[in-house]
Structure formats: C-alpha cells, structure tokens
Amino acid sequence: MKIEDYINRKALNDRLDGDFDLLKELTELFFSDSPKLLDVIQEAIRTKIGEKIGKSAHTIKGAVANFSADRAYTAALELEKIGKNNELDKAEEAYSRLSAEIDNMKAALKLLIEEKKL
C-alpha cells in the first residue's frame, strides 16, 4: 500500500503545520469515532432515513477532510448527497465504497504513524 494513494501527505502536513503529535491525536480520535459513525449510517440505511444518512455522511466527510483523504472524502460526499436526495436505492453501494475507502485511509494512517513523520 502506498500512503499517497489515500492521503495527500503534503496537504496534511500543511493542514497540521507539521505537528506529528497532533496527527497521532487526531488519528486516535478518528479510529475511535469512525466505527460508531459508520454504524449510524448503516442503521439509517437499514431504516431508510435519508436525512440521517446525509447528516452522518456529512459528519464523516468532515472527519476525513482533516486527513486530506480525498478518496474517502469523495465517497462520503457521494453518500451525503444520496441521503439528502433520498435516493435510498443507491445508499448501500455508496456505503460499501465509503467503508472501503475509510479502511484504506486507516491503513495509510497506520503506516504514516509508523514512519513517525508527516
């Protein structure tokens, strides 16, 4: 896996002003919070509540934006629009894409943390 495929390292470095400790702290928070957010989205899809899908996807979009994770951001944006437009027939597939991109982003973040530098 190549970190740069999932995280724009330069943009992340600029966003965090090179603060590696802040990256570690944000990563820990994201690793803790993201499963809960994904569970909320899954439940909203199961219960067919488009507004909740959209709002939850919006929240996760903001979280992945903190890491300059463009692919995960795009997947969250897509799901957000699907929820807001109540296009529930597209939600499951979009959720699968988002979940996969978040898994990839997390793997890239782990590698980035292991490198001990931005």
Side-chain angles (χ1 to χ4, degrees):
M1 162 179 273
K2 188 175 171 195
I3 293 170
E4 288 77 11
D5 288 344
Y6 302 100
I7 295 173
N8 181 330
R9 193 187 293 229
K10 177 165 179 5
L12 178 60
N13 187 42
D14 291 348
R15 174 172 280 138
L16 301 181
D17 201 26
D19 189 337
F20 184 74
D21 289 333
L22 180 57
L23 171 65
K24 288 194 306 188
E25 187 178 321
L26 288 172
T27 299
E28 288 172 14
L29 283 170
F30 183 77
F31 278 38
S32 171
D33 292 347
S34 61
K36 297 171 205 158
L37 289 169
L38 289 171
D39 286 348
V40 169
I41 293 171
Q42 252 186 335
E43 179 64 15
I45 290 170
R46 190 185 66 71
T47 57
K48 301 186 182 323
I49 303 173
E51 183 180 353
K52 193 168 190 175
I53 295 167
K55 285 182 179 180
S56 300
H58 177 80
T59 300
I60 215 159
K61 181 183 76 174
V64 299
N66 288 327
F67 297 101
S68 301
D70 297 335
R71 290 169 65 157
Y73 181 91
T74 299
L77 176 61
E78 177 188 3
L79 188 56
E80 178 184 9
K81 288 178 182 176
I82 285 168
K84 286 183 177 179
N85 294 329
N86 223 28
E87 298 174 316
L88 302 177
D89 57 320
K90 298 177 183 177
E92 196 65 53
E93 185 179 330
Y95 172 82
S96 293
R97 274 192 300 279
L98 174 61
S99 182
E101 289 302 335
I102 287 178
D103 286 346
N104 290 332
M105 183 189 107
K106 284 179 164 182
L109 283 169
K110 284 180 185 176
L111 290 173
L112 193 59
I113 298 293
E114 287 171 11
E115 286 183 6
K116 298 186 179 0
K117 64 179 174 137
L118 272 172

